[in-house]
Amino acid sequence: SGKSSLFNALSGGHAHVGNYSGVTVDAASGSFEYKGYKINITDLPGTYALSAYTPEELYVRRHLIEKLNAVEVNAVLGSILARNLYLTTELIDLNPKMVVALNMYDELEGAGDDLDYEKLGGMIGVPMVPVVAKTRKGLEELLDEIILTFSGENPKVRHIHIQYSSSIESEVSALARLMKNHLD
């Protein structure tokens, strides 16, 4: 999804970039100033789910439980969105404030495809911003959405609830409560 490239473009960091298991085995952190805000950013290992079957999934899940960020930025590959939407729905269930960065959006456009990301974001209650990290295209728009979401003033943000079986519902609710307790 280019999440480490996005991290580097935003923070000026130098996280290792790659698309294979174990690239980011720990979290890389950075910070920067934007429009009077000090933004701390963390690059977590790449994962497609929070199921904890792999060390990366376990690390990400543990991080989200223990260190829920004020705003989660879910970096997804715009050209193969379906692969990333499962994690997006899991994050929605946990109810963090979130913005989706549709990275490498130029590849989607280059293939002649079109995505109504405003409509999709409206359907799931999460702002979506097309970006191209390697050229820094869309980064200001992404940061503006993050600030709006952080301040609670983003009209695009609304919580949707995905109904699962009652046993899964109780576990998701317990996990969401635990994560919110760590914010306080």
Side-chain angles (χ1 to χ4, degrees):
S1 65
K3 62 171 190 53
S4 293
S5 294
L6 182 59
F7 169 85
N8 289 335
L10 289 171
S11 70
H14 302 288
H16 191 95
V17 178
N19 190 21
Y20 48 90
S21 180
V23 170
T24 309
V25 294
D26 198 2
S29 298
S31 63
F32 58 96
E33 299 277 333
Y34 180 76
K35 292 187 177 179
Y37 288 86
K38 181 179 181 184
I39 298 177
N40 298 311
I41 187 168
T42 303
D43 181 21
L44 294 174
T47 182
Y48 294 110
L50 299 177
S51 56
Y53 293 124
T54 69
E56 292 85 1
E57 291 169 349
L58 182 60
Y59 185 93
V60 170
R61 188 169 77 176
R62 185 176 302 128
H63 181 87
L64 289 173
I65 292 169
E66 295 172 0
K67 302 174 186 177
L68 185 64
N69 297 312
V71 176
E72 300 295 334
V73 177
N74 182 14
V76 303
L77 190 58
S79 60
I80 52 172
L81 192 57
R83 181 186 294 175
N84 300 131
L85 286 180
Y86 184 74
L87 176 62
T88 303
T89 60
E90 287 183 315
L91 292 171
I92 289 170
D93 275 344
L94 297 176
N95 199 20
K97 292 181 177 182
M98 179 173 47
V99 175
V100 172
L102 297 166
N103 201 12
M104 298 187 228
Y105 201 76
D106 56 335
E107 291 181 6
L108 180 136
E109 293 175 320
D113 294 328
D114 186 36
L115 172 65
D116 190 342
Y117 57 87
E118 291 284 345
K119 186 172 187 175
L120 178 59
M123 290 171 56
I124 64 173
V126 176
M128 296 186 152
V129 181
V131 298
V132 182
K134 68 181 178 184
T135 63
R136 304 185 56 79
K137 182 179 179 186
L139 295 188
E140 286 188 20
E141 292 84 355
L142 176 64
L143 291 169
D144 291 341
E145 289 289 343
I146 291 168
I147 290 169
L148 272 176
T149 301
F150 170 76
S151 66
E153 298 174 13
N154 196 329
K156 298 175 186 174
V157 175
R158 67 181 175 80
H159 180 70
I160 63 164
H161 184 73
I162 301 166
Q163 188 69 36
Y164 298 105
S165 70
S166 60
S167 61
I168 292 175
E169 286 293 321
S170 65
E171 294 298 320
V172 168
S173 295
L175 183 57
R177 280 191 304 278
L178 181 63
M179 291 172 65
K180 286 178 187 174
N181 289 339
H182 281 281
L183 278 178
D184 298 335

